[in-house]
Amino acid sequence: MNPTAQRLQTSSLSPDTAILRHRQWAGEPWLGELKAGQTLRIVDLEGNQAVDVLFYNRHDVAEHYSATDTIQQQGGIYLTTGSRLLSNLKRPMLEIVADTCGRHDTLGGACSAESNTVRYALQKKFMHSCRDNFLHALALADIGLSKRDLVPNINFFMNVPVTESGGLKFEDGVSAPGKYVEMRAAMDLWMLASNCPQLNNPCNAYNPTPVEILVWDH
Ligand SMILES: [Zn+2]
């Protein structure tokens, strides 16, 4: 696979037949369940929003999404249609089956108090971050997951190109209003998401916006 390939693919699923249609407000965490065989869609309602996501095996939460195994297996650093999202046991957790955005990041990591400080300014440390959102959702959920389970995540709709010298850049998004990514679950999963609250990054025009999460039973 070409490491920078974008594979645009639309979906035939209608929102009218979804069993879940959830509006995820800007800056908020969300913890949801997915069953094997279900299809998940995340819609970037207003464009250039980032949705930070981790997946865990619902029957053994020590098995989690693995960015390194996913990248190594597909021979490419971006996620798009056809990407299989592998676990740390190298088993498929989900497969991306449709994608109208074209590429998603899994290198940049989640924003945190620490990255707010390093990237922006010391006084930004206490602003909301995806890592704090993850921790907040897990503290309320009591499902056996905690700080130690936060591993490198997926940033849906986020554009983090790798430069020729091997550095990472946080660029303006390649997404736009209404673009979506859709994936089918291969096992029963927890989905831990943070609709990024970042107010310091120009890539979302300093304006976090809502997204929509839909689930179909097939
Ligand atoms: Zn974030």
Side-chain angles (χ1 to χ4, degrees), residues 29-34 40 42 51-58 61 63-68 70 79 85-88 93-94 105-106 109-111 130-135 137-138 143 145-156 183 188-195 213:
W30 189 73
L31 181 74
E33 287 182 39
L34 287 173
L40 162 75
I42 307 171
V51 187
D52 293 40
V53 176
L54 280 167
F55 295 103
Y56 302 87
N57 178 344
R58 207 138 45 83
V61 291
E63 184 173 17
H64 55 75
Y65 169 71
S66 168
T68 46
T70 298
L79 304 179
L85 309 182
L86 298 190
S87 74
N88 53 323
M93 302 187 100
L94 306 103
D105 165 69
T106 192
C111 65
C130 285
R131 185 173 170 81
D132 286 349
N133 266 349
F134 286 156
L135 291 171
L138 292 181
I143 53 171
L145 290 168
S146 65
K147 193 174 189 177
R148 63 180 293 178
D149 301 296
L150 295 185
V151 295
N153 59 286
I154 302 169
N155 294 308
F156 287 111
M183 59 213 90
D188 294 345
L189 296 164
W190 290 116
M191 172 183 169
L192 177 62
S194 167
N195 191 13
I213 295 171

Side-chain angles (χ1 to χ4, degrees), residues 88-120:
N88 53 323
L89 302 182
K90 302 187 193 300
R91 301 199 304 157
M93 302 187 100
L94 306 103
E95 178 171 345
I96 297 180
V97 292
D99 181 14
T100 62
C101 173
R103 80 183 203 194
H104 308 268
D105 165 69
T106 192
L107 293 173
C111 65
S112 63
E114 292 79 5
S115 69
N116 279 345
T117 306
V118 171
R119 277 189 207 135
Y120 309 114

Side-chain angles (χ1 to χ4, degrees), residues 161-179:
V162 174
T163 65
E164 289 216 353
S165 60
L168 290 178
K169 290 201 297 182
F170 291 79
E171 292 272 301
D172 284 359
V174 289
S175 188
K179 296 213 172 186

